[in-house]
Amino acid sequence: MTPIPLSLYIHFPWCVQKCPYCDFNSHKQPDIIPEDRYIQALLRDLEQVLPSIWGRRLHTVFIGGGTPSLLSAEGLNQLIKGLQQRLPMRPSMEFTLEANPGTFEQDKFSGFYQAGVNRLSIGIQSFADQQLQKLKRVHSADEALKAIAIAKKAGFSNFNLDLMFGLSGQSIEEALGDLQQAIDCQPPHLSWYQLTIEPNTLFYNQPPSLPNHDLLADMHEQGSALLAKHGYQQYEVSAFAQPKQTSQHNKNYWQFGDYIGIGAGAHGKITQQQTISRTMRVKHPEQYMQACLSGQPDKAIATQTELAKDTLPFEFMLNALRLKEGFQPSLYTERTFLSLSSLEQGLEKADEKQLIIHNNENISLSSHGWNFLDEAVECFL
Ligand SMILES: C[S@@+](CC[C@H](N)C(=O)[O-])C[C@H]1O[C@@H](n2cnc3c(N)ncnc32)[C@H](O)[C@@H]1O
Ligand code: SF4
């Protein structure tokens, strides 16, 4: 049996300001970000995880947020050195940092690369200044283009651009224009998200006027075709990549791999002796740091839950069906330790609705199922 890949996710919880659509665990930065304290807290937190992953090698690292590019290059260097002292890290391993394209961040891209990050995920969102203002982003379209050029110059041949569509008052032409501009920058990977209105966001209480359902469907269809024409293969609901440029870190989530999750509000999933546990860290940055730095890092763990066996078919499918290629049946057994018979009932339900294609070699959504992902996953509840 192949070992379950193990990734590391590190959450950085501060941003210049809170965007009105964002429900991630991100907080407006204090006057001075307590960078040193936060890095020390992360390393203490990591230490408490080590006994649960002894002997396992790391597959990928992802520092996300929030806006981790607010870290100084020196701070990041110190963090990476701390990781290397505690975990065996291969220089060739995918190591991603989420970066915002503001001027303050761009100046540090070269330092991030020197520190050992080899993939940047840049949050562009749109190349239209008017849209960026409506989204209350702190960067302009010009700065976005500059950030991409600087990232390339710094050595990042591997990078992702985050783009959103279905923005307030957006026409198809505007959405496709944004995509075309992104494509012209030749990113190896593009994440193209439909803007969703999430509870607990400013947009939820003051909703912008969004394109209607038909317009959104047309945007998605034409946008996907444009991406395909330029060699970007859709391999997940919102992820497009040039050949062999898929995100190894995100793929590990979707293939129900393991991941350590450290940092305020971070989620983790670890398998030990066929028992799968999920963890979540306390969300509040100050509370998180206090717990880790006062010698009681276990207090930084808000929840730790063993996944019950009867929930595993749903949990696995919730992730794996997002992948366009689907998965080999053996992966299900390797990751859940359940026999394939535990999927039978769900597959029968999905068959009735023609949502899934399955044979001895592969299980994936049908083209019809691709439009009804939630319904397909619910067959396994
Ligand atoms: C962790 S978030 C933010 C990363 C980075 N701080 C930024 O804003 O550029 C990752 C991506 O999720 C997407 N995203 C966040 N909120 C969203 C929403 N409500 N609807 C659709 N996409 C969203 C954005 O494209 C964002 O870049
Ligand atoms: S979208 Fe990005 S920059 Fe905006 S609040 Fe969320 S994490 Fe921060």
Side-chain angles (χ1 to χ4, degrees), residues 14-19 21-24 26 65-67 98 100 125 137:
W14 293 287
C15 298
V16 173
Q17 61 188 38
K18 183 79 185 173
C19 301
Y21 54 88
C22 176
D23 77 336
F24 287 86
S26 57
T67 308
E98 263 181 355
N100 281 27
Q125 319 311 346
R137 298 292 292 187

Side-chain angles (χ1 to χ4, degrees), residues 336-381:
T336 63
F337 312 101
L338 298 175
S339 75
L340 279 172
S341 61
S342 55
L343 280 183
E344 261 167 28
Q345 230 181 355
L347 285 174
E348 268 171 35
K349 280 192 212 166
D351 277 345
E352 279 167 28
K353 300 176 183 174
Q354 300 182 331
L355 295 168
I356 286 182
I357 303 170
H358 56 100
N359 53 42
N360 290 340
E361 265 87 57
N362 200 264
I363 300 177
S364 67
L365 286 176
S366 63
S367 51
H368 173 66
W370 199 238
N371 297 318
F372 298 95
L373 173 62
D374 292 347
E375 211 180 311
V377 174
E378 275 166 23
C379 295
F380 300 89
L381 260 179

Side-chain angles (χ1 to χ4, degrees), residues 135-194:
L135 294 170
K136 302 274 185 291
R137 298 292 292 187
V138 288
H139 68 271
S140 64
D142 220 31
E143 280 173 332
L145 289 169
K146 234 182 255 163
I148 297 165
I150 291 174
K152 287 184 185 174
K153 202 159 159 230
F156 288 104
S157 52
N158 194 3
F159 66 99
N160 164 63
L161 301 183
D162 276 350
L163 217 58
M164 295 195 289
F165 72 98
L167 305 177
S168 161
Q170 195 178 42
S171 65
I172 294 202
E173 291 71 26
E174 284 165 349
L176 297 182
D178 265 355
L179 260 189
Q180 186 60 56
Q181 249 190 308
I183 292 166
D184 291 345
C185 297
Q186 300 181 309
H189 192 286
L190 237 161
S191 301
W192 193 46
Y193 302 106
Q194 180 184 328

Side-chain angles (χ1 to χ4, degrees), residues 35-323:
E35 179 173 289
D36 280 346
R37 277 182 78 218
Y38 195 69
I39 291 170
Q40 289 314 316
L42 288 171
L43 296 174
R44 295 290 92 72
D45 192 0
L46 178 61
E47 282 162 8
Q48 73 174 326
V49 182
L50 294 179
S52 63
I53 52 123
W54 279 135
R56 294 178 68 178
R57 76 177 215 172
L58 213 52
H59 176 61
T60 58
V61 181
F62 193 105
I63 308 185
T67 308
S69 52
L70 290 176
L71 276 168
S72 66
E74 299 72 43
L76 186 71
N77 196 28
Q78 192 195 338
L79 172 62
I80 295 177
K81 285 224 168 84
L83 300 178
Q84 285 165 342
Q85 283 162 1
R86 289 159 181 83
L87 286 165
M89 313 237 303
R90 294 164 295 118
S92 59
M93 168 182 72
E94 184 185 280
F95 192 133
T96 307
L97 178 95
E98 263 181 355
N100 281 27
T103 336
F104 173 67
E105 283 95 337
Q106 298 174 11
D107 293 344
K108 296 179 287 183
F109 286 179
S110 176
F112 294 157
Y113 188 75
Q114 306 295 330
V117 174
N118 55 30
R119 184 173 183 269
L120 271 195
S121 178
I122 311 176
I124 304 291
Q125 319 311 346
S126 170
F127 285 102
D129 277 330
Q130 211 197 359
Q131 288 296 356
L132 290 170
Q133 282 156 18
K134 285 197 237 177
L135 294 170
K136 302 274 185 291
R137 298 292 292 187
V138 288
H139 68 271
S140 64
D142 220 31
E143 280 173 332
L145 289 169
K146 234 182 255 163
I148 297 165
I150 291 174
K152 287 184 185 174
K153 202 159 159 230
F156 288 104
S157 52
N158 194 3
F159 66 99
N160 164 63
L161 301 183
D162 276 350
L163 217 58
M164 295 195 289
F165 72 98
L167 305 177
S168 161
Q170 195 178 42
S171 65
I172 294 202
E173 291 71 26
E174 284 165 349
L176 297 182
D178 265 355
L179 260 189
Q180 186 60 56
Q181 249 190 308
I183 292 166
D184 291 345
C185 297
Q186 300 181 309
H189 192 286
L190 237 161
S191 301
W192 193 46
Y193 302 106
Q194 180 184 328
L195 174 67
T196 53
I197 304 299
E198 306 289 345
N200 300 318
T201 62
L202 196 78
F203 274 4
Y204 191 74
N205 294 318
Q206 296 165 26
S209 99
L210 298 183
N212 67 34
H213 189 270
D214 288 348
L215 194 53
L216 284 170
D218 289 348
M219 264 179 206
H220 191 261
E221 194 183 318
Q222 293 185 33
S224 305
L226 181 66
L227 285 163
K229 190 174 125 193
H230 290 275
Y232 291 92
Q233 258 177 6
Q234 182 178 16
Y235 68 100
E236 187 266 348
V237 178
S238 308
F240 298 78
Q242 289 290 334
K244 301 207 168 83
Q245 301 288 348
T246 56
S247 157
Q248 298 308 303
H249 185 85
N250 288 343
K251 244 182 132 173
N252 190 38
Y253 292 147
W254 298 320
Q255 291 179 332
F256 212 53
D258 279 357
Y259 48 97
I260 304 164
I262 56 171
H267 293 255
K269 166 186 174 278
I270 301 286
T271 309
Q272 280 180 291
Q273 279 131 23
Q274 305 205 351
T275 299
I276 305 171
S277 304
R278 283 198 190 282
T279 52
M280 196 183 87
R281 297 297 189 259
V282 293
K283 284 187 157 183
H284 198 277
E286 189 50 47
Q287 217 182 324
Y288 172 79
M289 286 188 288
Q290 270 175 21
C292 292
L293 297 173
S294 64
Q296 295 176 302
D298 56 313
K299 294 235 161 73
I301 302 174
T303 58
Q304 176 147 20
T305 326
E306 256 181 41
L307 293 185
K309 288 221 175 330
D310 60 355
T311 63
L312 289 177
F314 174 77
E315 289 272 349
F316 180 90
M317 291 308 230
L318 182 67
N319 289 285
L321 285 181
R322 295 180 69 93
L323 286 167

